[in-house]
Amino acid sequence: MIVGIIGMGLIGGSMGIDLKGRGFADKILGVENNPVSAQAAAKMGLADEMVSYEECVKRSDIVVISVPVSAAAKMLPDILDHFQKDGGTDKIVIDTCSTKAHIVNSVHYHPMRSRYVSTHPMAGTEYSGPWAAMPNLFDGRACIFANTEDSDPKAVKTIEKLYDTLNMRPIFMNAENHDVHTAYVSHISHVTSFALALTVLDKEKDEKHIFDLASGGFSSTVRLAKSSADMWVPILTQNRDNVLKVIDTYIDKMKLFRDAIEDYDSDKVRELICEANKIKRIIR
């Protein structure tokens, strides 16, 4: 089994470590356009070989697209074109993108659509690049499989085995539902973290010691603001409508707090906090 990974950053690099280390892949081929990142990935052993994009697609049994979704949406049809041209009817391509509808729709009518399995491993950190890759990143997390009815059943089973090797549990849903759910549980978290960071940085211009007072609560809340713009601009752009709905809901909830605090309405503030505490039923 040869697995080719295009994009040896946090997700791709971490997959390379565990797929090889746990015996799923006999060889990992890595692709990196950035020469510094390519050198780092090779030196860190994230792949057995660093190769060109074309060589990766030609030699790999499974191709993993692990690049920003804007680039992935252009890359996927081209990879399926290569499969069709080279007779790669037994090859499989997957993506790891955080939005699904756009990329799935981009190849809906492609003759080789059945060789594509759309996935989203729900794991990560605020760091990026080969230096962020780590073993065990995916253990115990969920992996979304989108629109599997359009994929070859044997290909889906193979990719299920891939993610089982990473100790991930599969969840199946359509691409549109995926994008709605991730807007609520992931995308809004990043937007609010970016906004909070901007708010505090703005205040820091006047009060130089504000970061000296930062506690663990602030650090955990603003942690996601360290995330890469190259990754998140395409995500927020492609999931625009869903993200806007969530932002509007979030603003409404913020206004409830603002109004209650402005009115010295302690009972209302308590009510809102207690209502929010119900999240403990879901997240412990």
Side-chain angles (χ1 to χ4, degrees), residues 99-106 118 146-147 175-176 178-179 238-239:
T99 62
K100 300 279 79 158
H102 179 75
I103 191 168
V104 165
N105 291 337
S106 72
S118 179
N147 294 29
E176 288 74 18
H178 166 277
D179 288 357
Q238 290 200 11
N239 206 20

Side-chain angles (χ1 to χ4, degrees), residues 8 31-47 50 130-131:
M8 299 299 293
V31 178
E32 258 299 338
N33 283 337
N34 185 304
V36 176
S37 295
Q39 186 177 14
K43 189 172 183 179
M44 295 166 65
L46 303 182
M50 297 300 295
W131 308 271

Side-chain angles (χ1 to χ4, degrees), residues 5-58:
I5 302 176
I6 303 173
M8 299 299 293
L10 170 65
I11 300 299
S14 298
M15 289 182 73
I17 292 171
D18 283 342
L19 291 178
K20 179 68 183 293
R22 297 177 184 180
F24 180 87
D26 298 301
K27 178 172 285 189
I28 299 290
L29 304 180
V31 178
E32 258 299 338
N33 283 337
N34 185 304
V36 176
S37 295
Q39 186 177 14
K43 189 172 183 179
M44 295 166 65
L46 303 182
D48 297 300
E49 295 180 50
M50 297 300 295
V51 298
S52 68
Y53 167 82
E54 289 77 12
E55 185 176 353
C56 175
V57 174
K58 185 174 183 178

Side-chain angles (χ1 to χ4, degrees), residues 37-269:
S37 295
Q39 186 177 14
K43 189 172 183 179
M44 295 166 65
L46 303 182
D48 297 300
E49 295 180 50
M50 297 300 295
V51 298
S52 68
Y53 167 82
E54 289 77 12
E55 185 176 353
C56 175
V57 174
K58 185 174 183 178
R59 291 175 56 189
S60 300
D61 300 302
I62 298 173
V63 178
V64 179
I65 303 174
S66 187
V67 298
V69 65
S70 54
K74 298 176 182 177
M75 193 177 292
L76 177 60
D78 183 68
I79 291 174
L80 292 179
D81 287 346
H82 277 74
F83 286 2
Q84 185 176 23
K85 180 181 177 182
D86 300 335
T89 56
D90 56 346
K91 291 175 175 285
I92 303 170
V93 58
I94 70 173
D95 75 291
T96 64
C97 296
S98 297
T99 62
K100 300 279 79 158
H102 179 75
I103 191 168
V104 165
N105 291 337
S106 72
V107 294
H108 182 72
Y109 296 106
H110 198 287
M112 299 296 285
R113 169 63 182 86
S114 65
R115 305 315 303 168
Y116 163 53
V117 180
S118 179
T119 69
H120 178 199
M122 300 290 290
T125 72
E126 66 271 31
Y127 301 108
S128 59
W131 308 271
M134 65 180 75
N136 311 318
L137 176 68
F138 307 99
D139 287 356
R141 304 300 184 99
C143 180
I144 309 300
F145 284 69
N147 294 29
T148 53
E149 67 276 6
D150 294 328
S151 303
D152 180 86
K154 291 183 179 179
V156 174
K157 288 294 182 185
T158 298
I159 301 307
E160 285 187 65
K161 291 178 182 177
L162 182 152
Y163 282 109
D164 184 62
T165 301
L166 299 176
N167 291 330
M168 301 196 82
R169 65 184 189 279
I171 299 176
F172 298 87
M173 62 178 65
N174 67 51
E176 288 74 18
N177 285 345
H178 166 277
D179 288 357
V180 171
H181 296 325
T182 52
Y184 276 91
V185 302
S186 174
H187 303 169
I188 188 62
S189 300
H190 284 78
V191 172
T192 54
S193 188
F194 294 138
L196 177 58
L198 291 173
T199 301
V200 175
L201 287 168
D202 204 44
K203 185 66 173 177
E204 193 263 347
K205 295 174 184 176
D206 301 319
E207 299 187 15
K208 301 300 183 183
H209 297 295
I210 193 167
F211 286 108
D212 294 335
L213 307 178
S215 64
F218 173 79
S219 296
S220 62
T221 303
V222 82
R223 171 180 66 84
L224 296 177
K226 303 174 189 174
S227 300
S228 166
D230 290 339
M231 176 181 176
W232 279 97
V233 169
I235 290 172
L236 298 177
T237 300
Q238 290 200 11
N239 206 20
R240 170 187 176 275
D241 292 345
N242 291 319
V243 171
L244 287 176
K245 290 177 183 177
V246 183
I247 289 175
D248 288 342
T249 303
Y250 183 83
I251 291 172
D252 289 342
K253 301 303 181 186
M254 286 291 288
K255 190 174 186 306
L256 290 176
F257 272 99
R258 189 192 186 287
D259 291 347
I261 293 169
E262 183 181 39
D263 294 340
Y264 296 98
D265 190 344
S266 299
D267 290 339
K268 183 61 176 179
V269 173

